[in-house]
C-alpha cells in the first residue's frame, strides 16, 4: 500500500495525480480497511492465545484461540494478496515489471494463502469450531 500511495501521488495522467481519481481513492480506502481488519484479528488472536496460556480461556469454539488464529491467518493473507494485486493495478504497466517492487510483493503475498495451512484448511478449522460449539 505504501508503494502504491507514493506512486499515486507522483504519477500524473490527464493533468492530475492518480491520487485524485475516485477509482484510486476507492482502492486505497479498501486497502486500509482490509489491512486494519486483519491487524485487529491478529491482535485478537494473540490475546486469545495469551488467555489460554494464563489458563483463563479455552482453545475451542468460535471465540477460542484456534478459531481466532485461523481467522487472523485467513484475513491477513487474503488482505496481503488483495492489496498487492491492487497495488500492481495502480502502477499500471510498470506494476507488471520486475524493476518495480509490487509484482514481487504480489507473488510473496500469494504464498501466504498456501503455506502454514492453506486458506481452505483455515476455513475448515473455523467452521469446525463453530459447528462443534453449536452441537454443545
Ligand atoms: C512459499 C512456500 C513456502 C513453503 N514453505 C514450507 C516449509 O517451510 N515447510 C513445509 O513443510 N512446507 C512448506 N510449504 C509447503 C506448504 O505447506 C504446502 O504447499 C501446503 O501445505 C499445501 O500442500 P500441497 O502443496 O501439497 O497442496 P495440496 O494439499 O495438494 O492442496 C491443493 C489444493 O487443495 C486444497 N485441499 C487439500 N486438501 C483439502 C481438504 N481436505 N479440504 C479442502 N481443500 C483441500 C488445498 O487447500 C489447495 O487449495 C511451502 C509452500 C509455499 C508455497
Amino acid at each position: 500500500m505504501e508503494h502504491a500511495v507514493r506512486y499515486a501521488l507522483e504519477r500524473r495522467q490527464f493533468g492530475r495525480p492518480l491520487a485524485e481519481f475516485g477509482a484510486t481513492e476507492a482502492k486505497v480506502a479498501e486497502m486500509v480497511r482490509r489491512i486494519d481488519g486483519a491487524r485487529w484479528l491478529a491482535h485478537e488472536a494473540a490475546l486469545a492465545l495469551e488467555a489460554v496460556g494464563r489458563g483463563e480461556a479455552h482453545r475451542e469454539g468460535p471465540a477460542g484461540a484456534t478459531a481466532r488464529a485461523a481467522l487472523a491467518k485467513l484475513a491477513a493473507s487474503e488482505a496481503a494478496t488483495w492489496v498487492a494485486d491492487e497495488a500492481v493495478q495502480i502502477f499500471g504497466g510498470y506494476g507488471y515489471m520486475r524493476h518495480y517492487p509490487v509484482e514481487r510483493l504480489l507473488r510473496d503475498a500469494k504464498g501466504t494463502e498456501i503455506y502454514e495451512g492453506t486458506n481452505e484448511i483455515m476455513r475448515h478449522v473455523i467452521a469446525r469450531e463453530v459447528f462443534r460449539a453449536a452441537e454443545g
Side-chain angles (χ1 to χ4, degrees):
M1 188 182 84
E2 288 162 12
H3 289 296
V5 165
R6 270 201 305 275
Y7 186 77
L9 288 168
E10 286 167 11
R11 172 73 167 167
R12 297 178 72 85
Q13 283 292 39
F14 303 97
R16 47 192 175 135
L18 298 184
E20 289 185 13
F21 295 126
T24 311
E25 288 179 330
K27 287 185 198 308
V28 169
E30 188 62 20
M31 286 176 174
V32 174
R33 183 178 78 81
R34 293 183 190 224
I35 292 168
D36 286 3
R39 281 206 177 114
W40 275 107
L41 285 170
H43 286 299
E44 207 191 7
L47 289 172
L49 280 164
E50 280 185 351
V52 170
R54 290 194 301 268
E56 295 169 5
H58 295 291
R59 284 188 181 277
E60 297 80 23
T66 300
R68 300 330 286 183
L71 268 169
K73 195 273 184 183
L74 178 63
S77 58
E78 291 193 354
T81 302
W82 192 91
V83 169
D85 191 27
E86 291 296 334
V88 168
Q89 197 71 17
I90 287 174
F91 270 74
Y94 289 136
Y96 196 68
M97 295 178 183
R98 290 201 164 171
H99 183 69
Y100 289 85
V102 284
E103 66 84 26
R104 162 81 194 277
L105 292 173
L106 177 55
R107 282 187 287 122
D108 286 353
K110 186 63 197 173
T112 68
E113 294 185 8
I114 297 169
Y115 59 66
E116 293 293 337
T118 65
N119 283 6
E120 286 77 9
I121 299 304
M122 294 301 112
R123 287 186 162 88
H124 163 70
V125 167
I126 296 159
R128 184 191 62 194
E129 295 302 320
V130 171
F131 283 126
R132 275 186 184 163
E135 280 174 345

